[in-house]
Amino acid sequence: MENLNSFQFLLSTKIIFGKDQLNSLGDQLAEISAKKIMIVTDKGLIKAGIVDKVLDIIKRNNIDYYLYDEVIPNPRINVVDEAAAICKNENCNVLIAIGGGSAMDTTKGISVMATNEGSSYDYLDGRGESKKEISNDPLPIIAIPTTSGTGSEVSFYSVLTDPETKIKDSISSHKIYPVVAIIDPVLTKNLPSFITACTGLDVLGHALEAYTSTIENPMTDLFALEAIKIVFNSLAEAVNSGDIEARVNMSYASMLAGIAMSHCGATIPHALGCPLTGHCGMPHGLAVGILQIPMLEFNKEVLQDKVKNVLKYMDEDINNIDEGQYHTYLINKIKELMKKINIEEAVNKYVMDEKSIDLMSKDAIIHGCTLINPKKISIEDIINIYNEIG
Ligand SMILES: [Fe+2]
């Protein structure tokens, strides 16, 4: 290889991947000496019977537990603080997150606040110099994802929302990597098609943005390219037929993209997508998904080589296409995918007026992902992109 850059790579999470691998939970709990577990989930997953599968294993292993089922989408700092107080009170020494990104973000926040002073607000990256260091080791987490999208089971970020400003910010530390991620695609079997579509677009965003960010590295490029290829090959089938093998593929892609993004961050779709969720309520994956094309268009002149690499990795027949057309080719692939997963109608439900665009643009320009976009972006550019998709 030529011009191989220096890089660091750390993933301290044991990954247990595959159908019915949830059955390994008992062994994992014994390995980390679980005495009392706080299970962090939401009422929907209790109703769906997924939490019962976990409880059966915990009960069979005679381990005490506390069931916390108050997880909400876009978890707030005050909710994390309240849950951490319960965790301390109950003397739990292990946390199990069951759910999507919100459950895992909440759990990571609890793991920090159960052993450290103050409020989760004090540990957010956006606090700058007044940000507190995590001085005590957080509680160990076993992450059990029930969607294939966030990749949070293999990331060291806890994304939390300030209820007053509606700004999303992160606690980021290698100390909050889950100790174990049990990725059992069977748990995603009954996921509604719209959620499968949105979370799948999030995977595409993590992979494409990680690959094109200014801080990518040769190892994460491998993860990202493979994830992109799998999304184009399997997402439509997972959405439309719910085929279990397509779901297995999407769970794998989600994990790969999560590892890539955890190391190299994301770019303008996440920078502009997070405010879209915060101010307009658009689901995260949908927001990130519809911003992929504007991202490719905005960064066109600096992404020629990378777009070519993506198409080559996907085994697309590009021999007879002019180099100048590669960008359009990839954009058309994304448009085709969006059509196949039927998301157009959902997008039209969300109205962006001048006031919300003003607020969102101000949030987006200071978002961490803006800084690692391959081309410098101004607030005027951001306003233009919001107007374009609105
Ligand atoms: Fe995301």
Side-chain angles (χ1 to χ4, degrees):
M1 282 180 87
E2 282 172 32
N3 304 321
L4 197 57
N5 293 329
S6 323
F7 65 91
Q8 294 188 3
F9 188 92
L10 171 75
L11 175 63
S12 54
T13 303
K14 179 202 275 190
I15 294 167
I16 300 177
F17 183 92
K19 284 186 271 186
D20 300 319
Q21 290 305 302
L22 181 62
N23 295 327
S24 67
L25 177 62
D27 292 343
Q28 302 311 312
L29 288 168
E31 219 168 89
I32 57 173
S33 306
K35 302 273 181 295
K36 185 167 183 180
I37 303 159
M38 184 174 192
I39 299 162
V40 181
T41 191
D42 62 53
K43 293 181 178 62
L45 289 167
I46 294 178
K47 219 171 145 197
I50 291 180
V51 175
D52 270 345
K53 290 183 181 185
V54 173
L55 288 179
D56 285 347
I57 296 172
I58 292 172
K59 286 173 191 167
R60 271 205 307 274
N61 286 273
N62 293 315
I63 303 172
D64 201 3
Y65 67 90
Y66 178 87
L67 178 59
Y68 176 84
D69 63 1
E70 305 286 330
V71 168
I72 49 166
N74 308 309
R76 299 194 291 255
I77 47 181
N78 56 314
V79 173
V80 165
D81 292 348
E82 284 157 24
I86 297 171
C87 180
K88 277 202 255 190
N89 227 5
E90 294 288 330
N91 279 319
C92 298
N93 75 330
V94 167
L95 294 157
I96 294 182
I98 311 171
S102 300
M104 289 184 266
D105 287 330
T106 304
T107 308
K108 289 172 186 169
I110 296 171
S111 78
V112 172
M113 297 321 304
T115 56
N116 289 276
E117 296 298 315
S119 157
S120 49
Y121 175 75
D122 304 325
Y123 298 85
L124 293 171
D125 292 339
R127 297 298 317 278
E129 284 183 4
S130 38
K131 176 183 147 180
K132 272 191 185 167
E133 286 305 311
I134 301 173
S135 37
N136 301 319
D137 282 343
L139 293 183
I141 299 168
I142 296 184
I144 304 175
T146 59
T147 64
S148 47
T150 68
S152 184
E153 67 276 12
V154 286
S155 92
F156 56 82
Y157 295 103
S158 165
V159 183
L160 303 177
T161 302
D162 183 334
E164 278 170 35
T165 61
K166 294 187 179 166
I167 291 179
K168 277 187 166 197
D169 200 347
S170 300
I171 300 177
S172 59
S173 164
H174 288 149
K175 292 179 179 174
I176 58 172
Y177 263 129
V179 291
V180 182
I182 301 178
I183 306 165
D184 184 341
V186 173
L187 301 179
T188 70
K189 204 172 62 179
N190 296 319
L191 210 59
S193 56
F194 178 62
I195 298 178
T196 306
C198 291
T199 49
L201 288 175
D202 199 20
V203 177
L204 179 64
H206 295 161
L208 206 45
E209 293 168 54
Y211 183 59
T212 54
S213 94
T214 55
I215 55 169
E216 44 64 79
N217 73 55
M219 270 185 83
T220 54
D221 287 352
L222 294 173
F223 290 93
L225 286 167
E226 183 68 11
I228 294 167
K229 186 175 181 173
I230 297 171
V231 171
F232 280 107
N233 288 337
S234 297
L235 178 58
E237 199 174 354
V239 170
N240 293 313
S241 74
D243 173 66
I244 188 65
E245 293 312 324
R247 290 199 181 278
V248 170
N249 291 342
M250 283 308 300
S251 290
Y252 182 57
S254 172
M255 180 198 77
L256 294 176
I259 295 170
M261 190 198 56
S262 178
H263 285 81
C264 352
T267 63
I268 47 180
H270 274 76
L272 275 68
C274 289
L276 251 179
T277 303
H279 293 284
C280 298
M282 189 181 283
H284 174 73
L286 185 60
V288 164
I290 62 168
L291 284 157
Q292 293 305 311
I293 292 173
M295 179 276 280
L296 287 169
E297 283 168 345
F298 180 78
N299 293 321
K300 187 174 179 183
E301 73 258 33
V302 292
L303 289 185
Q304 303 285 345
D305 289 345
K306 286 195 173 172
V307 165
K308 183 179 177 182
N309 289 345
V310 167
L311 294 174
K312 275 169 70 183
Y313 194 88
M314 284 163 54
D315 299 323
E316 292 295 324
D317 184 9
I318 52 170
N319 290 335
N320 300 321
I321 301 170
D322 185 66
E323 290 235 355
Q325 293 303 308
Y326 290 164
H327 234 77
T328 313
Y329 189 98
L330 183 58
I331 286 172
N332 285 339
K333 292 267 317 167
I334 297 174
K335 282 183 182 165
E336 206 179 289
L337 177 65
M338 302 245 228
K339 207 173 252 173
K340 282 187 194 160
I341 61 173
N342 321 306
I343 54 144
E344 286 99 341
E345 228 175 272
V347 176
N348 296 334
K349 276 191 213 154
Y350 300 92
V351 183
M352 284 169 252
D353 56 19
E354 212 176 306
K355 196 177 156 214
S356 59
I357 289 180
D358 180 54
L359 289 169
M360 292 191 297
S361 307
K362 284 175 181 152
D363 290 355
I365 195 75
I366 56 166
H367 195 286
C369 294
T370 303
L371 299 174
I372 53 172
N373 188 65
K375 185 177 143 192
K376 199 169 162 39
I377 185 165
S378 69
I379 194 147
E380 290 75 28
D381 296 324
I382 292 172
I383 293 169
N384 287 341
I385 293 177
Y386 279 132
N387 278 317
E388 194 185 309
I389 60 164

